[in-house]
Amino acid sequence: MNTNTETKPDSYLQKMGRQAGVAMHITSLPGEHGVGDIADCARNFVDQLVEMELGVWQILPTGPTAYGDSPYQPLSAFAGNPMFIGLNPLVRAGLLDDSDTAAMRDLPRDYVDYGRLIPAKQALLDKAAERFISDTGHGLGAGYDDFQHRYGERWLDDYAIFRLLKSMHDQRAWPEWDQAYVHREPAALEKLRNDYRLDIEKIKVTQFLFEHQWQQFRAYAENNGICLFGDMPIYIALDSSDAWAHPQRLLIDRDGQPSHVAGVPPDYFSEDGQLWGNPLYDWDYHKETGYRWWIERIQHAANQTPLVRIDHFRGFEAYWAVPHGAKTARDGEWIKGPGDSLFVAMREAMGTLPIVAEDLGVITPEVDALRENHRLPGMVVLQFEVGNADFDIASVNENSVCYTGTHDNDTTLGWFHSNGDDTRSPEEIAQNQAGALQHTGGSAETLAHDMIRLAFSSKAALAVAPMQDYLGLGSEARLNVPGTTLNNWRWRMQAEQMQPDVLASVRTLVREGGRCNTAQGQIK
């Protein structure tokens, strides 16, 4: 395949023009009901993005989460997280009373208390779903019928049964269920459908409410010139409806036991590597089926957001396979992935791919070639680069996204000052500090904005900073520490932090960087 990028058309990202964006997960939005939502909370933030003249809003995966609350271990590759459903629209539609939501206002507003949030909000969503089913006055029946027609056989029916069975088994992973359900015995599943018809229907209705609100959110963003930028984990969780319903797509046996699991070797974040534990794909099966499931997955993601990042892109060229039961990721090995054939199939089905490749970590010339063959933008993270004496901001490629940091990094101020809980040596910290000051020409006090300014000055088609960096926050606002499972994904912005001077300062950075705000609806 010709790899001469000079003869190839612009990527999807380049067609958008020179853009500036923010990384801000839905959970982190300010609001009154314990967690950000895709209704009023999201619309308010879109309005603020317009004021700041930011054109792209990057979010984390939006699937339903389980233990650890990680968006990268969703219970479905297709379903939405019901915790993101806005309650106020349900009140306006008559599916809830205002008094129903009063207790939710007692939840913390500066962080997400998942232990209290999930049962309280799920009870309200169940109540709304029951009203939806029993009373057609809401006027959404036709939309719900269409939703079932489009997604029922693809994923919705399996997901609803999976969630019912998971609740019946005290939320245990499906390989620990009764054997009749583990092996999907038809008689057992048919009896379940008959005995729990209403419970299954409520789960489907909740998913429709998510989809309905999401498409309204997307339309509002696009009508205001904001491009939503989503995120897709490369792997699915073993404890997911996808793995349970279609184990043939994975390297697991009929009881749900994998021979090897996913991870990465020792890296910047961990001396032992990262042991993710996800089952690996049976790539021979996917190739034989023309990668149909992958095409459906990308199409579904594109229906949610016009642009999507695929996490751990390098796994498509070669992936780190760790024997199941290993204590760390050290003892894995690299195994060749599907490579070009997967992306050729995607391009034949979709044309120009709306994908950004997360190409961080151990990247080889083969990984670079795979990305470049298909004109997929890569990533540059300045926290990883400025400590390198050979780094030059002028070398950042146009077909890329340039970040100050990501959800896996500390905030830029936290990274610069180091809070003592750091994988870097004192020498590396000092080197990073000196490099950051040298490359930005700034100061320790203004470094967050200095790094944003540096990212915006690059040739990258898109430059993105986490909201915490725009606000100049420290380690107290860090969202995730890779390799840990406690106290992650909890940070929330406070409404009062978005003062007019903050909006004005971001707007100034955008204008200084010469980054326009092109309406996504105009991109062809």
Side-chain angles (χ1 to χ4, degrees), residues 10 92 136 168 224 239 359 437 455 472:
D10 286 346
R92 294 192 287 266
T136 59
M168 291 171 61
N224 283 277
D239 188 23
D359 56 347
L437 295 175

Side-chain angles (χ1 to χ4, degrees), residues 29-343:
L29 295 171
E32 61 181 347
H33 294 143
V35 69
D37 65 47
I38 56 177
D40 296 3
C41 296
R43 285 181 174 235
N44 290 339
F45 193 60
V46 166
D47 294 341
Q48 292 170 332
L49 293 178
V50 172
E51 289 191 61
M52 292 184 285
E53 298 185 5
L54 293 169
V56 177
W57 177 2
Q58 183 170 359
I59 57 179
L60 300 182
T62 57
T65 58
Y67 176 76
D69 309 302
S70 171
Y72 292 93
Q73 296 284 348
L75 295 171
S76 168
F78 296 91
N81 189 339
M83 295 300 107
F84 294 166
I85 295 173
L87 296 179
N88 289 335
L90 303 186
V91 173
R92 294 192 287 266
L95 298 176
L96 290 174
D97 299 323
D98 188 60
S99 59
D100 293 330
T101 66
M104 301 295 292
R105 300 186 184 103
D106 293 332
L107 293 173
R109 297 198 180 195
D110 56 343
Y111 69 97
V112 183
D113 185 343
Y114 290 101
R116 293 174 59 193
L117 169 74
I118 293 174
K121 188 161 187 175
Q122 189 58 58
L124 293 182
L125 294 174
D126 286 345
K127 184 173 184 177
E130 288 181 10
R131 285 192 182 179
F132 184 100
I133 295 167
S134 62
D135 182 0
T136 59
H138 47 71
L140 298 174
Y144 177 53
D145 291 342
D146 179 64
F147 176 73
Q148 291 191 91
H149 177 73
R150 283 185 290 128
Y151 297 126
E153 291 186 2
R154 289 189 179 182
W155 61 267
L156 182 62
D157 294 346
D158 285 326
Y159 174 75
I161 295 173
F162 173 84
R163 289 308 300 264
L164 173 65
L165 284 168
K166 195 165 174 61
S167 65
M168 291 171 61
H169 290 84
D170 298 321
Q171 301 301 323
R172 296 197 305 275
W174 66 266
E176 300 175 26
W177 297 349
D178 295 342
Q179 288 298 293
Y181 300 129
V182 170
H183 298 147
R184 293 177 58 84
E185 293 179 6
L189 295 184
E190 185 60 28
K191 186 176 189 305
L192 198 74
R193 293 186 186 97
N194 291 329
D195 293 349
Y196 294 90
R197 191 175 303 275
L198 177 60
D199 298 274
I200 293 171
E201 192 75 5
K202 287 192 296 184
I203 295 170
K204 293 181 180 181
V205 167
T206 302
Q207 283 302 305
F208 166 71
L209 293 174
F210 176 93
E211 175 69 8
H212 179 69
Q213 289 191 6
W214 185 275
Q215 292 306 326
Q216 289 184 322
F217 163 41
R218 172 172 173 163
Y220 188 79
E222 290 184 351
N223 290 339
N224 283 277
I226 305 300
C227 172
L228 298 180
F229 181 7
D231 198 345
M232 175 191 293
I234 182 174
Y235 294 115
I236 63 173
L238 175 61
D239 188 23
S240 67
S241 60
D242 315 273
W244 171 68
H246 300 281
Q248 70 275 16
R249 296 171 180 162
L250 304 164
L251 295 178
I252 58 178
D253 63 24
R254 68 189 301 265
D255 295 318
Q257 296 302 311
S259 59
H260 290 73
V261 296
V264 289
D267 61 7
Y268 169 88
F269 291 112
S270 173
E271 294 180 354
D272 290 326
Q274 296 181 48
L275 186 60
W276 298 333
N278 304 72
L280 299 171
Y281 292 110
D282 185 340
W283 285 115
D284 290 338
Y285 168 85
H286 287 279
K287 186 173 184 179
E288 290 169 2
T289 57
Y291 299 106
R292 184 175 63 250
W293 180 79
W294 272 99
I295 292 169
E296 290 180 356
R297 193 180 180 201
I298 295 294
Q299 289 173 331
H300 184 83
N303 184 56
Q304 298 290 312
T305 60
L307 191 64
V308 61
R309 185 192 85 136
I310 299 186
D311 190 51
H312 195 59
F313 174 82
R314 73 104 54 241
F316 293 118
E317 195 283 323
Y319 53 91
W320 190 249
V322 182
H324 179 55
K327 300 300 183 182
T328 74
R330 285 182 173 274
D331 296 328
E333 62 175 330
W334 291 110
I335 298 178
K336 282 293 182 182
D340 283 311
S341 62
L342 170 62
F343 294 95

Side-chain angles (χ1 to χ4, degrees), residues 280-491:
L280 299 171
Y281 292 110
D282 185 340
W283 285 115
D284 290 338
Y285 168 85
H286 287 279
K287 186 173 184 179
E288 290 169 2
T289 57
Y291 299 106
R292 184 175 63 250
W293 180 79
W294 272 99
I295 292 169
E296 290 180 356
R297 193 180 180 201
I298 295 294
Q299 289 173 331
H300 184 83
N303 184 56
Q304 298 290 312
T305 60
L307 191 64
V308 61
R309 185 192 85 136
I310 299 186
D311 190 51
H312 195 59
F313 174 82
R314 73 104 54 241
F316 293 118
E317 195 283 323
Y319 53 91
W320 190 249
V322 182
H324 179 55
K327 300 300 183 182
T328 74
R330 285 182 173 274
D331 296 328
E333 62 175 330
W334 291 110
I335 298 178
K336 282 293 182 182
D340 283 311
S341 62
L342 170 62
F343 294 95
V344 168
M346 287 182 184
R347 287 169 60 187
E348 288 176 349
M350 300 180 63
T352 302
L353 297 176
I355 291 172
V356 170
E358 186 273 293
D359 56 347
L360 306 176
V362 182
I363 301 303
T364 64
E366 292 80 6
V367 177
D368 286 333
L370 176 62
R371 180 181 57 76
E372 292 168 1
N373 283 348
H374 303 281
R375 294 298 292 154
L376 302 179
M379 291 174 54
V380 176
V381 178
L382 292 183
Q383 286 189 24
F384 295 150
E385 300 293 345
V386 294
N388 184 345
D390 297 328
F391 174 68
D392 184 352
I393 193 67
S395 67
V396 175
N397 191 285
E398 180 185 354
N399 192 28
S400 65
V401 184
C402 185
Y403 295 84
T404 55
T406 74
H407 62 277
D408 280 336
N409 297 97
D410 201 345
T411 67
T412 291
L413 279 188
W415 163 84
F416 182 82
H417 292 292
S418 182
N419 62 5
D421 183 17
D422 203 314
T423 59
R424 297 172 295 169
S425 68
E427 292 76 19
E428 289 173 321
I429 293 170
Q431 183 179 357
N432 289 163
Q433 291 171 334
L437 295 175
Q438 175 186 344
H439 285 289
T440 63
S443 67
E445 293 74 22
T446 62
L447 189 75
H449 277 198
D450 297 335
M451 286 275 274
I452 295 171
R453 190 174 288 109
L454 181 64
F456 282 10
S457 74
S458 72
K459 295 194 297 286
L462 173 60
V464 173
M467 193 65 229
Q468 295 95 314
D469 285 355
Y470 287 116
L471 294 173
L473 301 178
S475 296
E476 76 282 354
R478 183 169 186 170
L479 188 62
N480 179 51
V481 179
T484 68
T485 58
L486 297 176
N487 298 320
N488 292 322
W489 322 110
R490 288 159 56 93
W491 176 78

